[in-house]
């Protein structure tokens, strides 16, 4: 019986089965390639459209100019500030605060993150603290910081450092945990000590992620420098913003905000370039 | 001290394989591994494993996935502590202590991507306090052995899978380990590359006379490469099978009747239930 079934070809009515297919789409493509031209058009649109709306709304005075100045007014306000109000000094003041605060946050956060990611003991010791303090808004600490550290430079730098350091710790610790076990184990089978593993495997393996972490978190440092300068400062971009606000100079406010954005973008590209130069061996996709 | 003469008399290794040395290079003695599961349940992964490897032997541990063979190799390498038992190298206990006496080649690619091929091979040498010049000579020698002397300054990402494993083997051998441990080293390679690598490894073994313990689930690979096979069942050694084939083997031996006979024997041992 079985043989007859398998040898005699039986003509069977094809069963009407409903299959489901993926419809074609260029715009909503998910990892199926994207035309370069469309990408460029969309990038241009994302910049041009908001700018156009701003220009139209402000030029036609649909909103009071005091609330929304024209783009041209903002640029000319910027030129005036550079020429007459010593804006370079403010840029320098803010940049140096960011630099010092951020470097401190890196000097504390990176080793602490490495230690927490590497050793269970350090993780157990520090993660309750880091995990709790992380959810406390740093802006809430600002009055305390001012009481403790005064109104001078140290308090501003402290605000930046405290704001950024925990993110450095958490992100670096996570990067260490992504190192495959075998990469560490193989070092032991070559006679490496734990110290060797820390310095010759864990540190170089996490180096690209550490650079990435710092690049992401420097934007946080810019947030906190403005907060610090809004409260108490004699110079800096945040100070300029609060000063302009007092005189309803929205054009100046907007220019300072845009300037911070441009500086941030520049730093981002510089750090991306740096990590490309320093880690030519890394083949992971950089964002 | 261990009484080797008495342990050797109890076993019959001298009859099954011609051994160049009287004492085993490495001994796995009564190794057990028990994990505590949920509640008070205990999960026995390895039970009373005994294995002996003599100098210049090539031994394969064969078993299906989940039989505990990777756990056993990690215990042998010292990366994992056993619940009971000892690992001896030249009669010295090294249980739970990894070291350069047991070089390891993993299945996954464990080359350090930030180091060049030459720097990868030199990795273990820096811990031995070897001078830079000696390191360079050692690295060149072992890169020559694996035929990758022209790739010394390349980064691992520029190499193919088979080449990466050859570097990993060179890196393990450069430390001149007492035993080379291999954890499915060719498991991630395609069939053609895998056969090339088997041929390469056998040739390397003939040239260097290294002592090798390799785990694999590929029965043909095990027979082709080794002098003895241990078949691992669920946490236990199910059998020990000597491979009576000439020492020098071509890939075509895999089609010979003797080879197929051994394969049948190994596979039936694997299927046996305790």
């Amino acid at each position: 019986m079985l043989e007859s079934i398998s040898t005699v070809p039986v003509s069977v009515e094809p069963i009407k089965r409903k299959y489901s297919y993926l419809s074609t789409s260029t715009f909503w493509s998910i990892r199926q390639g994207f035309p370069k031209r469309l990408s460029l058009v969309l990038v241009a649109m994302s910049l041009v459209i908001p700018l156009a709306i701003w220009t139209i709304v402000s030029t036609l005075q649909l909103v009071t100019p005091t609330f929304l100045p024209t783009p041209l007014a903002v640029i000319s306000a910027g030129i005036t500030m550079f020429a007459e109000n010593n804006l370079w000094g403010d840029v320098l003041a803010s940049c140096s605060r960011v630099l010092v605060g951020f470097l401190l946050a890196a000097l504390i956060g990176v080793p602490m993150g490495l230690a927490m990611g590497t050793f269970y003991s350090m993780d157990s010791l520090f993660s309750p603290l880091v995990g709790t303090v992380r959810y406390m808004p740093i802006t809430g600490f600002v009055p305390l910081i001012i009481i403790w550290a005064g109104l001078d430079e140290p308090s501003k730098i402290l605000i930046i450092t405290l704001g950024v350091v925990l993110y450095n710790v958490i992100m670096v610790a996570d990067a260490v945990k992504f190192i495959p076990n075998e990469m560490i184990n193989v070092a032991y089978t070559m006679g490496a000590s734990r110290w060797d593993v820390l310095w010759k495997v864990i540190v170089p393996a996490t180096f690209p992620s550490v650079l990435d972490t710092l690049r992401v978190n420097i934007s946080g440092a810019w947030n906190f420098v403005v907060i610090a300068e809004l409260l108490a400062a004699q110079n800096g971009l945040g100070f300029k913003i609060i000063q302009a606000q007092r005189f309803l100079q929205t054009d100046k406010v907007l220019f300072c905000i845009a300037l911070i954005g441009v500086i941030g973008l520049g730093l981002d590209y510089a750090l991306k370039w740096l990590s490309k130069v320093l880690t030519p061996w890394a083949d992971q996709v950089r964002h | 001290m261990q009484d080797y003469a008495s342990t050797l008399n109890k076993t019959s290794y001298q009859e099954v394989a011609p051994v160049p040395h009287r004492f085993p290079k490495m001994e796995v003695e009564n190794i057990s591994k028990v994990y505590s599961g949920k509640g008070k349940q205990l999960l026995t992964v390895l039970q009373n494993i005994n294995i002996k490897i003599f100098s210049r032997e090539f031994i394969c541990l064969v078993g299906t996935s989940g039989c505990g063979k990777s756990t056993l190799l990690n215990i042998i390498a010292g990366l994992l502590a056993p619940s009971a038992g000892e690992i001896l190298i030249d009669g010295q206990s090294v249980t739970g202590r990894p070291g350069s006496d047991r070089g390891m080649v993993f299945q996954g690619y464990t080359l350090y991507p930030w180091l060049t091929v030459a720097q990868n091979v030199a990795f273990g040498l820096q811990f031995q306090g070897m001078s830079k010049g000696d390191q360079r000579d050692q690295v060149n020698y072992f890169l020559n052995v694996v035929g990758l002397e022209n790739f010394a300054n390349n980064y691992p990402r520029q190499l193919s899978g088979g080449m990466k494993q050859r570097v990993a083997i060179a890196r393990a051998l450069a430390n001149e380990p007492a035993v080379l441990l291999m954890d499915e080293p060719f498991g991630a390679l395609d069939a053609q590359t895998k056969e090339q690598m088997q041929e390469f490894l056998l040739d390397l073994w003939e040239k260097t006379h290294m002592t090798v313990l390799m785990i694999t689930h590929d029965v043909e690979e095990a027979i082709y490469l080794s002098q003895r096979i241990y078949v691992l069942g669920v946490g236990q050694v199910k059998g020990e099978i000597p491979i009576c084939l000439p020492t020098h083997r071509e890939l075509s031996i895999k089609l010979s009747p003797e080879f197929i006979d051994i394969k049948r024997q190994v596979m039936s041992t694997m299927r046996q239930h305790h």
Side-chain angles (χ1 to χ4, degrees), chain B residues 46-58:
Chain B
L46 297 169
Q47 207 178 356
N48 245 350
I49 306 277
N50 284 286
I51 287 170
K52 280 186 171 61
I53 298 167
F54 294 90
S55 188
R56 300 186 173 186
E57 262 193 312
F58 198 128

PDB file of all heavy atoms in Angstrom, chain B residues 46-58:
ATOM      1  N   LEU B  46      28.845  16.742  35.837  1.00  0.00           N
ATOM      2  CA  LEU B  46      29.924  15.785  35.600  1.00  0.00           C
ATOM      3  C   LEU B  46      30.035  14.870  36.803  1.00  0.00           C
ATOM      4  O   LEU B  46      29.899  15.322  37.943  1.00  0.00           O
ATOM      5  CB  LEU B  46      31.257  16.511  35.399  1.00  0.00           C
ATOM      6  CG  LEU B  46      31.370  17.429  34.191  1.00  0.00           C
ATOM      7  CD1 LEU B  46      32.642  18.266  34.300  1.00  0.00           C
ATOM      8  CD2 LEU B  46      31.379  16.656  32.892  1.00  0.00           C
ATOM      9  N   GLN B  47      30.271  13.583  36.523  1.00  0.00           N
ATOM     10  CA  GLN B  47      30.310  12.623  37.611  1.00  0.00           C
ATOM     11  C   GLN B  47      31.543  11.747  37.472  1.00  0.00           C
ATOM     12  O   GLN B  47      31.651  10.993  36.504  1.00  0.00           O
ATOM     13  CB  GLN B  47      29.040  11.775  37.570  1.00  0.00           C
ATOM     14  CG  GLN B  47      28.657  11.231  38.904  1.00  0.00           C
ATOM     15  CD  GLN B  47      27.366  10.442  38.817  1.00  0.00           C
ATOM     16  OE1 GLN B  47      26.746  10.371  37.760  1.00  0.00           O
ATOM     17  NE2 GLN B  47      26.983   9.831  39.909  1.00  0.00           N
ATOM     18  N   ASN B  48      32.478  11.910  38.388  1.00  0.00           N
ATOM     19  CA  ASN B  48      33.610  10.995  38.460  1.00  0.00           C
ATOM     20  C   ASN B  48      34.336  10.792  37.145  1.00  0.00           C
ATOM     21  O   ASN B  48      34.465   9.671  36.660  1.00  0.00           O
ATOM     22  CB  ASN B  48      33.102   9.635  38.933  1.00  0.00           C
ATOM     23  CG  ASN B  48      33.694   9.313  40.281  1.00  0.00           C
ATOM     24  OD1 ASN B  48      34.604  10.013  40.732  1.00  0.00           O
ATOM     25  ND2 ASN B  48      33.183   8.282  40.905  1.00  0.00           N
ATOM     26  N   ILE B  49      34.806  11.847  36.566  1.00  0.00           N
ATOM     27  CA  ILE B  49      35.501  11.738  35.281  1.00  0.00           C
ATOM     28  C   ILE B  49      36.974  11.443  35.525  1.00  0.00           C
ATOM     29  O   ILE B  49      37.626  12.121  36.321  1.00  0.00           O
ATOM     30  CB  ILE B  49      35.368  13.053  34.480  1.00  0.00           C
ATOM     31  CG1 ILE B  49      33.909  13.464  34.315  1.00  0.00           C
ATOM     32  CG2 ILE B  49      36.095  12.944  33.154  1.00  0.00           C
ATOM     33  CD1 ILE B  49      33.177  12.819  33.204  1.00  0.00           C
ATOM     34  N   ASN B  50      37.483  10.420  34.853  1.00  0.00           N
ATOM     35  CA  ASN B  50      38.900  10.078  34.926  1.00  0.00           C
ATOM     36  C   ASN B  50      39.474   9.999  33.524  1.00  0.00           C
ATOM     37  O   ASN B  50      38.982   9.233  32.693  1.00  0.00           O
ATOM     38  CB  ASN B  50      39.099   8.745  35.644  1.00  0.00           C
ATOM     39  CG  ASN B  50      38.937   8.909  37.137  1.00  0.00           C
ATOM     40  OD1 ASN B  50      39.806   9.448  37.807  1.00  0.00           O
ATOM     41  ND2 ASN B  50      37.794   8.478  37.648  1.00  0.00           N
ATOM     42  N   ILE B  51      40.493  10.785  33.274  1.00  0.00           N
ATOM     43  CA  ILE B  51      41.123  10.808  31.954  1.00  0.00           C
ATOM     44  C   ILE B  51      42.632  10.944  32.164  1.00  0.00           C
ATOM     45  O   ILE B  51      43.073  11.656  33.068  1.00  0.00           O
ATOM     46  CB  ILE B  51      40.583  11.997  31.119  1.00  0.00           C
ATOM     47  CG1 ILE B  51      39.152  11.726  30.668  1.00  0.00           C
ATOM     48  CG2 ILE B  51      41.476  12.275  29.914  1.00  0.00           C
ATOM     49  CD1 ILE B  51      38.463  12.920  30.067  1.00  0.00           C
ATOM     50  N   LYS B  52      43.398  10.256  31.342  1.00  0.00           N
ATOM     51  CA  LYS B  52      44.856  10.414  31.400  1.00  0.00           C
ATOM     52  C   LYS B  52      45.361  10.736  30.000  1.00  0.00           C
ATOM     53  O   LYS B  52      44.914  10.148  29.017  1.00  0.00           O
ATOM     54  CB  LYS B  52      45.506   9.110  31.878  1.00  0.00           C
ATOM     55  CG  LYS B  52      45.448   8.917  33.370  1.00  0.00           C
ATOM     56  CD  LYS B  52      46.249   7.688  33.763  1.00  0.00           C
ATOM     57  CE  LYS B  52      46.398   7.597  35.261  1.00  0.00           C
ATOM     58  NZ  LYS B  52      45.093   7.480  35.964  1.00  0.00           N
ATOM     59  N   ILE B  53      46.282  11.649  29.938  1.00  0.00           N
ATOM     60  CA  ILE B  53      46.880  11.983  28.649  1.00  0.00           C
ATOM     61  C   ILE B  53      48.381  11.889  28.784  1.00  0.00           C
ATOM     62  O   ILE B  53      48.966  12.439  29.722  1.00  0.00           O
ATOM     63  CB  ILE B  53      46.475  13.403  28.204  1.00  0.00           C
ATOM     64  CG1 ILE B  53      44.959  13.474  28.035  1.00  0.00           C
ATOM     65  CG2 ILE B  53      47.137  13.750  26.884  1.00  0.00           C
ATOM     66  CD1 ILE B  53      44.464  14.864  27.921  1.00  0.00           C
ATOM     67  N   PHE B  54      48.982  11.182  27.857  1.00  0.00           N
ATOM     68  CA  PHE B  54      50.427  11.023  27.886  1.00  0.00           C
ATOM     69  C   PHE B  54      51.066  12.015  26.932  1.00  0.00           C
ATOM     70  O   PHE B  54      50.408  12.534  26.022  1.00  0.00           O
ATOM     71  CB  PHE B  54      50.802   9.580  27.533  1.00  0.00           C
ATOM     72  CG  PHE B  54      50.321   8.611  28.573  1.00  0.00           C
ATOM     73  CD1 PHE B  54      49.057   8.032  28.474  1.00  0.00           C
ATOM     74  CD2 PHE B  54      51.123   8.313  29.666  1.00  0.00           C
ATOM     75  CE1 PHE B  54      48.602   7.167  29.457  1.00  0.00           C
ATOM     76  CE2 PHE B  54      50.665   7.438  30.640  1.00  0.00           C
ATOM     77  CZ  PHE B  54      49.397   6.863  30.540  1.00  0.00           C
ATOM     78  N   SER B  55      52.333  12.252  27.157  1.00  0.00           N
ATOM     79  CA  SER B  55      53.052  13.218  26.350  1.00  0.00           C
ATOM     80  C   SER B  55      52.943  12.853  24.866  1.00  0.00           C
ATOM     81  O   SER B  55      53.018  11.683  24.494  1.00  0.00           O
ATOM     82  CB  SER B  55      54.520  13.233  26.783  1.00  0.00           C
ATOM     83  OG  SER B  55      55.167  14.279  26.142  1.00  0.00           O
ATOM     84  N   ARG B  56      52.749  13.860  24.046  1.00  0.00           N
ATOM     85  CA  ARG B  56      52.687  13.737  22.587  1.00  0.00           C
ATOM     86  C   ARG B  56      51.446  13.010  22.075  1.00  0.00           C
ATOM     87  O   ARG B  56      51.387  12.620  20.920  1.00  0.00           O
ATOM     88  CB  ARG B  56      53.930  13.036  22.039  1.00  0.00           C
ATOM     89  CG  ARG B  56      55.184  13.800  22.375  1.00  0.00           C
ATOM     90  CD  ARG B  56      56.371  13.207  21.716  1.00  0.00           C
ATOM     91  NE  ARG B  56      57.526  14.076  21.927  1.00  0.00           N
ATOM     92  CZ  ARG B  56      58.693  13.876  21.366  1.00  0.00           C
ATOM     93  NH1 ARG B  56      58.868  12.854  20.546  1.00  0.00           N
ATOM     94  NH2 ARG B  56      59.690  14.697  21.582  1.00  0.00           N
ATOM     95  N   GLU B  57      50.470  12.831  22.943  1.00  0.00           N
ATOM     96  CA  GLU B  57      49.229  12.224  22.487  1.00  0.00           C
ATOM     97  C   GLU B  57      48.279  13.282  21.956  1.00  0.00           C
ATOM     98  O   GLU B  57      48.310  14.435  22.393  1.00  0.00           O
ATOM     99  CB  GLU B  57      48.546  11.496  23.649  1.00  0.00           C
ATOM    100  CG  GLU B  57      48.807  10.016  23.679  1.00  0.00           C
ATOM    101  CD  GLU B  57      47.874   9.307  24.635  1.00  0.00           C
ATOM    102  OE1 GLU B  57      47.719   9.771  25.779  1.00  0.00           O
ATOM    103  OE2 GLU B  57      47.300   8.287  24.236  1.00  0.00           O
ATOM    104  N   PHE B  58      47.421  12.860  21.060  1.00  0.00           N
ATOM    105  CA  PHE B  58      46.323  13.707  20.605  1.00  0.00           C
ATOM    106  C   PHE B  58      45.036  12.996  21.001  1.00  0.00           C
ATOM    107  O   PHE B  58      44.730  11.934  20.491  1.00  0.00           O
ATOM    108  CB  PHE B  58      46.384  13.902  19.086  1.00  0.00           C
ATOM    109  CG  PHE B  58      45.569  15.081  18.594  1.00  0.00           C
ATOM    110  CD1 PHE B  58      46.153  16.043  17.775  1.00  0.00           C
ATOM    111  CD2 PHE B  58      44.234  15.232  18.947  1.00  0.00           C
ATOM    112  CE1 PHE B  58      45.417  17.139  17.314  1.00  0.00           C
ATOM    113  CE2 PHE B  58      43.501  16.312  18.494  1.00  0.00           C
ATOM    114  CZ  PHE B  58      44.097  17.265  17.678  1.00  0.00           C
TER     115      PHE B  58
END
